[in-house]
Amino acid sequence: MRTCLLFCLTFAISFAGRAEPVPDAAKVLNETFWESADYLAAGDPNPYEIDHRQQFAAVLGREDLIQAEIDFWTRTQPGGVCGEGLGDPVQTLTGAANSTQIVILNENHMIPLHRADPLGLIDALIDAGYRYYAYESFADSIMNRGGRPIGPQDVFYSADPAHARLLAQLESRGVTLVAYESSDHPDGREAAQAQRLKERVFDTAPQAKLIIVPGHDHVFEHVEGWAGQMMARRLKALTGIDPLTISQTACVSATGAPVLTQTLAKEDGTTAQISETDFALGHPPMTFTNNRPDWRRSLGDQDVAIPARFTGLDVPVIIEARRLEIDEQGRPVQSRGPTLPLDRVLLLPGETGIPLLLPAGHYRIEAFDRNGPVGPPEEIVVAPAAPGEHAPPADHSD
């Protein structure tokens, strides 16, 4: 069953349900990175299975290496190609969100775009009064940090730079982050998730407006049978609130633009109504330039050459870029914001020419293999792009 992936079983239930940070979270994260690197280096991944090694290919900046899996779990399973569009996705969905208090937008854990505020929808929902954000793998510790920056002990998928950026944006806008993952319920995980959401949001703030981002089938609302027991349907029953449910995994867009739909296009030319959720939000198939996803560039990230001494090595290397701030004396200092990187990319043995993707700013570039750092870090400056265009690749390879 797609909703109970290996990652959820091995990490979310044992980790995200705890009330305190996990002391070895950074160690677990590092081990997961290298398990994924070994899996990707071996080549020929199996598209018919999903586990953390595939999901973390995306966290390592290498969606290009899992295209068969992404294609299988979006285009082939469960639906296919999206049907006719219903107008501007953000305007339509924010309009629909005004008549409810709960918006549930699912994700494929292999696709960072799904959790990176797709199309600016989450930002628009905040403008519309949504001030609570619940994410599937939040640990309870994310709610009790006392000013501490978000780290891997708080949400495993915040190790994904795209998600880390979103969480920083949410906190800057005063959004409350809500942990709801748990297996502590006699009726199982779905019931526990719904119960926690009710208790932690609506029992204390009955008029709250809540965004929930789960994986895959937890978003199912309008179905019977096993799928009718998913979190969205259970939460609806517990709260009496009819949620706006949106699937990003039901279909892909047949055009070069995202499409909001309520139908699927069948191979025989007919259409079928989407039965599990209110809407499907289909994104175009991903495209890549120099092994990195073009959707990142469309949001303003620029290609930045990795220092040459970190590339073309005979072992896998992970490159990370963390933003630096400039103090009153003009010196670069570590940012006071989230300590997670703004980009990360895995280089397999011998690989060169694969860039980092970064917005303008001052950065510390670090590289490490499974034994530790690969030489000292290097500081770089990425200049702002000219209005209306992307800046040429910044070359820091010397």
Side-chain angles (χ1 to χ4, degrees):
M1 189 166 100
R2 291 190 304 277
T3 58
C4 199
L5 308 182
L6 177 61
F7 176 85
C8 298
L9 289 171
T10 58
F11 186 83
I13 291 175
S14 62
F15 164 67
R18 299 184 183 182
E20 299 298 329
V22 176
D24 292 334
K27 179 181 178 182
V28 172
L29 181 62
N30 185 64
E31 291 173 349
T32 304
F33 282 164
W34 293 113
E35 287 178 13
S36 181
D38 289 343
Y39 178 83
L40 298 170
D44 195 27
N46 181 358
Y48 303 105
E49 65 179 7
I50 296 182
D51 63 36
H52 66 286
R53 298 173 301 175
Q54 296 172 351
Q55 293 163 2
F56 266 74
V59 177
L60 291 168
R62 296 304 300 272
E63 297 103 305
D64 62 304
L65 297 177
I66 54 169
Q67 280 306 285
E69 294 89 331
I70 290 174
D71 188 63
F72 179 79
W73 290 105
T74 53
R75 183 185 297 272
T76 307
Q77 299 277 102
V81 178
C82 298
E84 183 179 0
L86 299 173
D88 180 86
V90 174
Q91 289 183 7
T92 302
L93 291 172
T94 51
N98 286 330
S99 62
T100 184
Q101 294 174 246
I102 302 173
V103 174
I104 308 177
L105 175 73
N106 80 339
E107 71 169 32
N108 179 335
H109 296 315
M110 298 182 193
I111 305 179
L113 170 63
H114 288 180
R115 54 177 168 264
D117 192 8
L119 311 184
L121 174 60
I122 291 175
D123 202 47
L125 290 171
I126 296 171
D127 289 340
Y130 282 76
R131 292 292 186 271
Y132 291 80
Y133 175 88
Y135 185 74
E136 182 175 291
S137 73
F138 279 161
D140 286 3
S141 60
I142 203 167
M143 303 170 65
N144 306 292
R145 302 193 324 276
R148 171 179 57 79
I150 295 172
Q153 68 270 45
D154 302 308
V155 48
F156 214 54
Y157 281 124
S158 73
D160 170 13
H163 195 214
R165 295 190 202 188
L166 172 63
L167 297 184
Q169 172 191 338
L170 296 178
E171 292 212 304
S172 73
R173 299 202 61 187
V175 174
T176 299
L177 305 181
V178 180
Y180 71 94
E181 183 63 88
S182 177
S183 59
D184 186 18
H185 194 283
D187 291 332
R189 184 182 178 207
E190 305 297 322
Q193 290 179 338
Q195 185 67 35
R196 275 197 162 194
L197 287 165
K198 175 182 177 294
E199 292 173 352
R200 294 185 172 188
V201 179
F202 299 106
D203 283 1
T204 58
Q207 302 306 312
K209 292 192 172 184
L210 168 66
I211 303 165
I212 309 170
V213 181
H216 285 281
D217 300 353
H218 301 286
V219 73
F220 283 2
E221 175 192 4
H222 304 300
V223 285
E224 301 294 342
W226 69 264
Q229 302 303 310
M230 304 310 290
M231 177 271 293
R233 192 174 177 96
R234 289 176 179 270
L235 183 61
K236 179 178 179 178
L238 281 176
T239 63
I241 300 170
D242 185 7
L244 173 63
T245 49
I246 310 152
S247 174
Q248 295 188 94
T249 61
C251 59
V252 295
S253 173
T255 71
V259 60
L260 183 70
T261 188
Q262 292 179 317
T263 59
L264 302 175
K266 300 174 68 175
E267 292 184 358
D268 62 5
T270 62
T271 60
Q273 193 74 15
I274 291 171
S275 60
E276 298 91 356
T277 57
D278 295 321
F279 294 96
L281 177 59
H283 300 279
M286 280 191 288
T287 60
F288 298 87
T289 302
N290 295 328
N291 302 89
R292 302 303 308 277
D294 290 320
W295 69 264
R296 290 270 302 273
R297 297 177 177 91
S298 72
L299 299 180
D301 281 1
Q302 304 175 47
D303 288 48
V304 177
I306 297 170
R309 60 191 177 91
F310 296 151
T311 71
L313 304 182
D314 58 2
V315 295
V317 176
I318 294 173
I319 314 296
E320 294 185 340
R322 286 176 169 79
R323 188 187 289 277
L324 300 175
E325 294 180 351
I326 305 301
D327 66 14
E328 295 178 354
Q329 287 74 43
R331 298 170 301 188
V333 296
Q334 183 67 50
S335 171
R336 292 183 293 274
T339 59
L340 294 156
L342 264 67
D343 194 23
R344 176 189 299 107
V345 62
L346 166 70
L347 300 181
L348 296 178
E351 285 189 325
T352 61
I354 299 177
L356 290 163
L357 294 175
L358 295 168
H362 200 133
Y363 296 91
R364 175 178 292 120
I365 309 300
E366 300 170 292
F368 57 97
D369 61 22
R370 68 179 66 249
N371 295 316
V374 178
E378 188 163 319
E379 293 182 10
I380 65 170
V381 176
V382 180
E389 65 181 12
H390 297 304
D395 188 357
H396 301 282
S397 59
D398 293 333

